[in-house]
Structures are given as C-alpha cells and as structure tokens.
Amino acid sequence: MSQYGSGSGSAAAPPSPAGGGTGGRARAGRPPRESASGIKGRQGLWGWLFVSPMVLVLGLFLLLPIGMALWVSLLNWDGQSNPFTGAADFIGVDNYSNVLTTDGLDRTLFMTSVRNNLYFVLLAVPLQTILALALAVAVNSRRIKGKGLFRTIFYFPSVTSSIAISTVFLFLFQGSGAINALLKWVGITGPKWFTDANGLVWTVLGGLGIVDPDRPTAALASNGFLGLSWWDWLSGPSIAMCTVITLIVWTSSGTYMLIFLAALQDVPAELEEAALLDGANRWQSFRNVTIPALRPVIFLVVTLGLIGSWQIFDAVYVMSQGAPGNTTLTPAFLSYTAGFQDSEYGRAAAIAFILLAIIMVMTLFQRVLLRDRDKPVRAGRRLGAVRRRAS
C-alpha cells in the first residue's frame, strides 16, 4: 500500500524535514555554501592583487612626483640643494600669493599669460572642434572615394613632430616669408607677425578708425582687474598668438577627426534614413539626429582640446618664447622660464599647480554646462523633432 494511503488506524506520514530523509542524507556530504559576502571579498582581494603592479607604477611615477612638486611649491628653492633635507627655505603659500594677489612683476606676468591663454582657448577649441567634425563628416560620406587616403592626409599633421611643424611655420610667417609673399600678390601688405604686440581687437578697431591702438582709452587704461588694465584684458590675441592658434588647430584637428569618425560610424543609418523619408533635408537630419548622437563625443573632444590648450608649450617655445611684448606668453611656458631660466623652482611649481586648478575648474564648469547634453537621446524623440521641423 502506498505510503500516503489510508490504513487501519494509521495516519498519513508527514513529509520528511529538510535535514532528514533521503534528501537530507544526500545533502549531508556536501560542504556548506559560502556566503555571498565572502565570495565578493575574495574577488576584491584578487582584483587588488592583479592591479597592484599598475597601482605601484602609478604611485611611484605619478602620485609621488606630484606630492614632491607640491612640497617644492611651498619652498624658496633654487634647484642646487636637496629640497627634502631642510636646506631650502620653507615659505608656505608665498609663491602662490606672489602670482595671485601681490602686486608686482610676478603677478603681472602670470595674469598676462592667463589672458593670452584665455584667448587661445576661446579661439582654438571651437575652431578645432568644428574643423574636426567637418572633416569627419566629409570622410564618412558615401560619395567620397579614397577615404583611406583622405584620412591619412588629414591625420598626418597630428603625428608629425610639433617642433618641426613649428619651425616651418616660423619661416612661413616671418616678415619675408611665403605668407607675406602670397599676400603681396593680391595687393595686401602682410602684417608683422612676430613683432606687432597690439591686440587683434584694437588693431581691427584702429583700422576702422574707432580707436587708436597706440593710445589707450583713459577709462580702460586707468582701471583694471587682477593686476591688468581693462585695455589689456580686452585687447584680444596678438597677431603672433593667432599664428600659434592656426598651427595648433591644423595639427590637432586630425586626431579629433578620427574620434568623430568612429562616433559617426556608430550612428544607426536607419535614423538618418527615417528622417529623410519623413521629409527632412540633410541639414535637418544632421542637426536633429546626428548631433544629438554625437554629444558625448563632442564633450570628450572639447574637454581634450581644453586641457591641451592650457598646456600649450612647444609651439610657443619654438616660434616666439613669449614675444612680442609677452603677448604669446602662456602659463606653461612661464612655469618653464621661472624654473629653468630664473632658478625659482618654487614659483614654477606653484604656477603649475595653479594651472592644474584652472584646468580642473574649467573642465567641471564645462561638465555642468553640458550635463544634459551628453546623455543619449531616444530615437523617437529625435525623429519626432525632425518630423515637426519638416512639417
């Protein structure tokens, strides 16, 4: 009779408990299951074990030098002694205050370099981003043949030695160089590229007869901000700085073109085709479908361009070394001259850390400004916007 059948005065036997019976005997020989927290702990331990060589390398060659440079920025050190044995004078934040708050030559030079670099960023970053995107769109077009050749041509300046390119530009833009010779053919007297210290804004307004570049307005010359007069802040980049900007835009656009090209190839072709079928022209499709899909990449390119623009050094070192009249002076080049020419390594390190703070603040500001734009946009919203604009 079945185990669960009815019998004379017998009741149905209850199911065996989890720990007993045949099933319990089968599980009795198994080891107890390890807790999830123990497994995760072991994974974390093994993870740190595998990455420990790279952590040690980064700590030895990155974090430790940064800490040493931070200590040097608090010293009055000429580079002739060991800064970690007490031979150098500890002056605290005096190196920082001298270039930020104390009136004097150090502050004037630093603020001049910041002004020059601000104009450099305002011109170079948008220009190289727009040019790189335009080149990527052109190379990605189905109508163009020989895309590999064009990619190589556009990318070639980015892999060429910056010192060599700067030297070539120096010869091209000198007074008797090829650029002025070409301008002379069309009846234009070429400017003095590396000897004119006037800002581009006042030069253009002076050419229109609005202001006199050689005679600053009293209201702008007598008032100022952070050690510089408003006339200096609003003068714009010099012609020499515009030459440096041209070089940087030409050499960096190829790298950013490849980044945009990779992103364009990931944009679904169905979205663009659907937009065209809905009546949108190519510009509307590009603006409402392609650009929203590229917003994270645009943020990346702008961030890289911003960081690179504040670190510009080699082109300035070869082409001008801050001349004329410190109008091409940059914080990176000023840090170099303070340390290796003036032997004021504490001030040089302080300028480097201030430059790091400027880059971080501007990057965070840009991140906040584009916080909603670098998120993916749903295809339905894109197509809906295209349809509304097309209709």
mmCIF file of all heavy atoms in Angstrom, residues 277-302:
data_model
loop_
_atom_site.group_PDB
_atom_site.id
_atom_site.type_symbol
_atom_site.label_atom_id
_atom_site.label_comp_id
_atom_site.label_asym_id
_atom_site.label_seq_id
_atom_site.Cartn_x
_atom_site.Cartn_y
_atom_site.Cartn_z
ATOM 1 N N LEU A 277 13.160 60.158 -45.065
ATOM 2 C CA LEU A 277 11.851 59.715 -45.561
ATOM 3 C C LEU A 277 10.711 60.560 -45.011
ATOM 4 O O LEU A 277 9.675 60.712 -45.657
ATOM 5 C CB LEU A 277 11.630 58.244 -45.206
ATOM 6 C CG LEU A 277 12.508 57.231 -45.958
ATOM 7 C CD1 LEU A 277 12.248 55.824 -45.436
ATOM 8 C CD2 LEU A 277 12.246 57.300 -47.461
ATOM 9 N N ASP A 278 10.912 61.102 -43.805
ATOM 10 C CA ASP A 278 9.875 61.951 -43.209
ATOM 11 C C ASP A 278 9.880 63.363 -43.769
ATOM 12 O O ASP A 278 9.094 64.208 -43.327
ATOM 13 C CB ASP A 278 10.070 62.029 -41.686
ATOM 14 C CG ASP A 278 9.655 60.730 -41.013
ATOM 15 O OD1 ASP A 278 8.847 60.003 -41.614
ATOM 16 O OD2 ASP A 278 10.150 60.449 -39.901
ATOM 17 N N GLY A 279 10.763 63.653 -44.709
ATOM 18 C CA GLY A 279 10.754 64.955 -45.367
ATOM 19 C C GLY A 279 11.837 65.899 -44.914
ATOM 20 O O GLY A 279 11.881 67.049 -45.378
ATOM 21 N N ALA A 280 12.710 65.493 -44.021
ATOM 22 C CA ALA A 280 13.781 66.378 -43.559
ATOM 23 C C ALA A 280 14.904 66.402 -44.588
ATOM 24 O O ALA A 280 15.206 65.392 -45.223
ATOM 25 C CB ALA A 280 14.311 65.896 -42.211
ATOM 26 N N ASN A 281 15.501 67.586 -44.744
ATOM 27 C CA ASN A 281 16.660 67.658 -45.623
ATOM 28 C C ASN A 281 17.896 67.182 -44.869
ATOM 29 O O ASN A 281 17.827 66.840 -43.683
ATOM 30 C CB ASN A 281 16.843 69.080 -46.166
ATOM 31 C CG ASN A 281 16.935 70.117 -45.056
ATOM 32 O OD1 ASN A 281 17.485 69.841 -43.978
ATOM 33 N ND2 ASN A 281 16.385 71.304 -45.305
ATOM 34 N N ARG A 282 19.025 67.182 -45.549
ATOM 35 C CA ARG A 282 20.236 66.641 -44.930
ATOM 36 C C ARG A 282 20.697 67.486 -43.739
ATOM 37 O O ARG A 282 21.213 66.948 -42.765
ATOM 38 C CB ARG A 282 21.349 66.529 -45.981
ATOM 39 C CG ARG A 282 21.067 65.487 -47.044
ATOM 40 C CD ARG A 282 22.281 65.213 -47.906
ATOM 41 N NE ARG A 282 22.013 64.163 -48.874
ATOM 42 C CZ ARG A 282 22.107 62.859 -48.622
ATOM 43 N NH1 ARG A 282 22.476 62.472 -47.415
ATOM 44 N NH2 ARG A 282 21.835 61.973 -49.554
ATOM 45 N N TRP A 283 20.543 68.796 -43.831
ATOM 46 C CA TRP A 283 20.953 69.633 -42.711
ATOM 47 C C TRP A 283 20.066 69.389 -41.486
ATOM 48 O O TRP A 283 20.552 69.306 -40.361
ATOM 49 C CB TRP A 283 20.907 71.101 -43.111
ATOM 50 C CG TRP A 283 21.014 72.031 -41.943
ATOM 51 C CD1 TRP A 283 20.074 72.888 -41.481
ATOM 52 C CD2 TRP A 283 22.138 72.177 -41.070
ATOM 53 N NE1 TRP A 283 20.520 73.561 -40.385
ATOM 54 C CE2 TRP A 283 21.796 73.150 -40.096
ATOM 55 C CE3 TRP A 283 23.404 71.589 -41.002
ATOM 56 C CZ2 TRP A 283 22.657 73.546 -39.086
ATOM 57 C CZ3 TRP A 283 24.268 71.972 -39.990
ATOM 58 C CH2 TRP A 283 23.897 72.942 -39.046
ATOM 59 N N GLN A 284 18.736 69.261 -41.684
ATOM 60 C CA GLN A 284 17.842 68.972 -40.569
ATOM 61 C C GLN A 284 18.129 67.607 -39.970
ATOM 62 O O GLN A 284 18.092 67.432 -38.747
ATOM 63 C CB GLN A 284 16.386 69.046 -41.042
ATOM 64 C CG GLN A 284 15.923 70.450 -41.378
ATOM 65 C CD GLN A 284 14.527 70.471 -41.969
ATOM 66 O OE1 GLN A 284 14.102 69.497 -42.603
ATOM 67 N NE2 GLN A 284 13.827 71.568 -41.791
ATOM 68 N N SER A 285 18.432 66.636 -40.820
ATOM 69 C CA SER A 285 18.782 65.309 -40.311
ATOM 70 C C SER A 285 20.075 65.356 -39.517
ATOM 71 O O SER A 285 20.189 64.728 -38.453
ATOM 72 C CB SER A 285 18.911 64.333 -41.481
ATOM 73 O OG SER A 285 19.378 63.073 -41.025
ATOM 74 N N PHE A 286 21.047 66.102 -40.014
ATOM 75 C CA PHE A 286 22.325 66.206 -39.301
ATOM 76 C C PHE A 286 22.158 66.923 -37.967
ATOM 77 O O PHE A 286 22.731 66.503 -36.947
ATOM 78 C CB PHE A 286 23.332 66.953 -40.181
ATOM 79 C CG PHE A 286 24.671 67.147 -39.539
ATOM 80 C CD1 PHE A 286 25.580 66.107 -39.447
ATOM 81 C CD2 PHE A 286 25.030 68.381 -39.006
ATOM 82 C CE1 PHE A 286 26.825 66.275 -38.848
ATOM 83 C CE2 PHE A 286 26.264 68.566 -38.411
ATOM 84 C CZ PHE A 286 27.157 67.512 -38.323
ATOM 85 N N ARG A 287 21.359 67.977 -37.944
ATOM 86 C CA ARG A 287 21.204 68.779 -36.725
ATOM 87 C C ARG A 287 20.365 68.073 -35.679
ATOM 88 O O ARG A 287 20.648 68.180 -34.479
ATOM 89 C CB ARG A 287 20.589 70.131 -37.084
ATOM 90 C CG ARG A 287 20.473 71.085 -35.902
ATOM 91 C CD ARG A 287 19.874 72.399 -36.345
ATOM 92 N NE ARG A 287 18.535 72.225 -36.880
ATOM 93 C CZ ARG A 287 17.788 73.208 -37.370
ATOM 94 N NH1 ARG A 287 18.286 74.437 -37.421
ATOM 95 N NH2 ARG A 287 16.579 72.974 -37.834
ATOM 96 N N ASN A 288 19.319 67.348 -36.092
ATOM 97 C CA ASN A 288 18.380 66.766 -35.134
ATOM 98 C C ASN A 288 18.612 65.288 -34.853
ATOM 99 O O ASN A 288 18.040 64.764 -33.892
ATOM 100 C CB ASN A 288 16.939 66.952 -35.637
ATOM 101 C CG ASN A 288 16.534 68.405 -35.733
ATOM 102 O OD1 ASN A 288 16.367 69.084 -34.725
ATOM 103 N ND2 ASN A 288 16.387 68.900 -36.953
ATOM 104 N N VAL A 289 19.409 64.626 -35.661
ATOM 105 C CA VAL A 289 19.669 63.198 -35.451
ATOM 106 C C VAL A 289 21.146 62.947 -35.154
ATOM 107 O O VAL A 289 21.492 62.317 -34.153
ATOM 108 C CB VAL A 289 19.215 62.370 -36.678
ATOM 109 C CG1 VAL A 289 19.571 60.905 -36.489
ATOM 110 C CG2 VAL A 289 17.720 62.516 -36.886
ATOM 111 N N THR A 290 22.018 63.444 -36.025
ATOM 112 C CA THR A 290 23.439 63.135 -35.874
ATOM 113 C C THR A 290 24.066 63.874 -34.691
ATOM 114 O O THR A 290 24.768 63.270 -33.877
ATOM 115 C CB THR A 290 24.193 63.489 -37.165
ATOM 116 O OG1 THR A 290 23.552 62.842 -38.277
ATOM 117 C CG2 THR A 290 25.638 63.031 -37.080
ATOM 118 N N ILE A 291 23.825 65.169 -34.583
ATOM 119 C CA ILE A 291 24.426 65.956 -33.499
ATOM 120 C C ILE A 291 24.014 65.445 -32.122
ATOM 121 O O ILE A 291 24.876 65.285 -31.237
ATOM 122 C CB ILE A 291 24.090 67.445 -33.666
ATOM 123 C CG1 ILE A 291 24.805 68.009 -34.903
ATOM 124 C CG2 ILE A 291 24.486 68.237 -32.420
ATOM 125 C CD1 ILE A 291 26.302 67.993 -34.792
ATOM 126 N N PRO A 292 22.714 65.166 -31.857
ATOM 127 C CA PRO A 292 22.382 64.607 -30.534
ATOM 128 C C PRO A 292 23.093 63.292 -30.244
ATOM 129 O O PRO A 292 23.452 63.020 -29.100
ATOM 130 C CB PRO A 292 20.858 64.420 -30.608
ATOM 131 C CG PRO A 292 20.405 65.426 -31.596
ATOM 132 C CD PRO A 292 21.486 65.484 -32.626
ATOM 133 N N ALA A 293 23.299 62.468 -31.263
ATOM 134 C CA ALA A 293 24.009 61.212 -31.041
ATOM 135 C C ALA A 293 25.491 61.422 -30.768
ATOM 136 O O ALA A 293 26.132 60.571 -30.138
ATOM 137 C CB ALA A 293 23.836 60.300 -32.260
ATOM 138 N N LEU A 294 26.025 62.546 -31.215
ATOM 139 C CA LEU A 294 27.456 62.824 -31.040
ATOM 140 C C LEU A 294 27.762 63.671 -29.807
ATOM 141 O O LEU A 294 28.925 63.995 -29.566
ATOM 142 C CB LEU A 294 28.002 63.553 -32.272
ATOM 143 C CG LEU A 294 28.026 62.780 -33.590
ATOM 144 C CD1 LEU A 294 28.571 63.666 -34.699
ATOM 145 C CD2 LEU A 294 28.868 61.520 -33.465
ATOM 146 N N ARG A 295 26.762 64.034 -29.038
ATOM 147 C CA ARG A 295 27.001 64.942 -27.909
ATOM 148 C C ARG A 295 28.006 64.400 -26.890
ATOM 149 O O ARG A 295 28.844 65.157 -26.405
ATOM 150 C CB ARG A 295 25.676 65.287 -27.240
ATOM 151 C CG ARG A 295 24.931 66.402 -27.975
ATOM 152 C CD ARG A 295 23.551 66.633 -27.433
ATOM 153 N NE ARG A 295 22.877 67.704 -28.162
ATOM 154 C CZ ARG A 295 21.592 67.992 -28.057
ATOM 155 N NH1 ARG A 295 20.841 67.276 -27.232
ATOM 156 N NH2 ARG A 295 21.058 68.976 -28.739
ATOM 157 N N PRO A 296 27.968 63.127 -26.513
ATOM 158 C CA PRO A 296 29.026 62.650 -25.600
ATOM 159 C C PRO A 296 30.416 62.768 -26.195
ATOM 160 O O PRO A 296 31.381 63.089 -25.494
ATOM 161 C CB PRO A 296 28.628 61.181 -25.350
ATOM 162 C CG PRO A 296 27.177 61.106 -25.660
ATOM 163 C CD PRO A 296 26.951 62.088 -26.760
ATOM 164 N N VAL A 297 30.541 62.521 -27.500
ATOM 165 C CA VAL A 297 31.848 62.624 -28.151
ATOM 166 C C VAL A 297 32.266 64.086 -28.279
ATOM 167 O O VAL A 297 33.453 64.411 -28.150
ATOM 168 C CB VAL A 297 31.805 61.934 -29.524
ATOM 169 C CG1 VAL A 297 33.161 61.987 -30.201
ATOM 170 C CG2 VAL A 297 31.360 60.495 -29.375
ATOM 171 N N ILE A 298 31.316 64.966 -28.534
ATOM 172 C CA ILE A 298 31.636 66.391 -28.587
ATOM 173 C C ILE A 298 32.168 66.855 -27.240
ATOM 174 O O ILE A 298 33.141 67.620 -27.168
ATOM 175 C CB ILE A 298 30.389 67.200 -29.003
ATOM 176 C CG1 ILE A 298 30.018 66.881 -30.458
ATOM 177 C CG2 ILE A 298 30.636 68.692 -28.831
ATOM 178 C CD1 ILE A 298 28.738 67.535 -30.920
ATOM 179 N N PHE A 299 31.538 66.388 -26.160
ATOM 180 C CA PHE A 299 32.037 66.742 -24.829
ATOM 181 C C PHE A 299 33.460 66.234 -24.629
ATOM 182 O O PHE A 299 34.313 66.943 -24.077
ATOM 183 C CB PHE A 299 31.112 66.158 -23.764
ATOM 184 C CG PHE A 299 31.655 66.298 -22.363
ATOM 185 C CD1 PHE A 299 31.589 67.507 -21.709
ATOM 186 C CD2 PHE A 299 32.224 65.218 -21.720
ATOM 187 C CE1 PHE A 299 32.095 67.646 -20.422
ATOM 188 C CE2 PHE A 299 32.728 65.340 -20.435
ATOM 189 C CZ PHE A 299 32.663 66.567 -19.784
ATOM 190 N N LEU A 300 33.747 65.015 -25.075
ATOM 191 C CA LEU A 300 35.089 64.461 -24.953
ATOM 192 C C LEU A 300 36.097 65.293 -25.735
ATOM 193 O O LEU A 300 37.175 65.639 -25.221
ATOM 194 C CB LEU A 300 35.099 63.012 -25.436
ATOM 195 C CG LEU A 300 36.470 62.342 -25.546
ATOM 196 C CD1 LEU A 300 37.115 62.227 -24.172
ATOM 197 C CD2 LEU A 300 36.354 60.977 -26.211
ATOM 198 N N VAL A 301 35.772 65.632 -26.974
ATOM 199 C CA VAL A 301 36.702 66.381 -27.818
ATOM 200 C C VAL A 301 36.948 67.779 -27.250
ATOM 201 O O VAL A 301 38.086 68.254 -27.203
ATOM 202 C CB VAL A 301 36.161 66.452 -29.260
ATOM 203 C CG1 VAL A 301 36.963 67.442 -30.090
ATOM 204 C CG2 VAL A 301 36.199 65.080 -29.907
ATOM 205 N N VAL A 302 35.878 68.432 -26.804
ATOM 206 C CA VAL A 302 36.037 69.770 -26.229
ATOM 207 C C VAL A 302 36.876 69.712 -24.960
ATOM 208 O O VAL A 302 37.720 70.582 -24.710
ATOM 209 C CB VAL A 302 34.661 70.397 -25.968
ATOM 210 C CG1 VAL A 302 34.796 71.702 -25.195
ATOM 211 C CG2 VAL A 302 33.941 70.660 -27.280
#
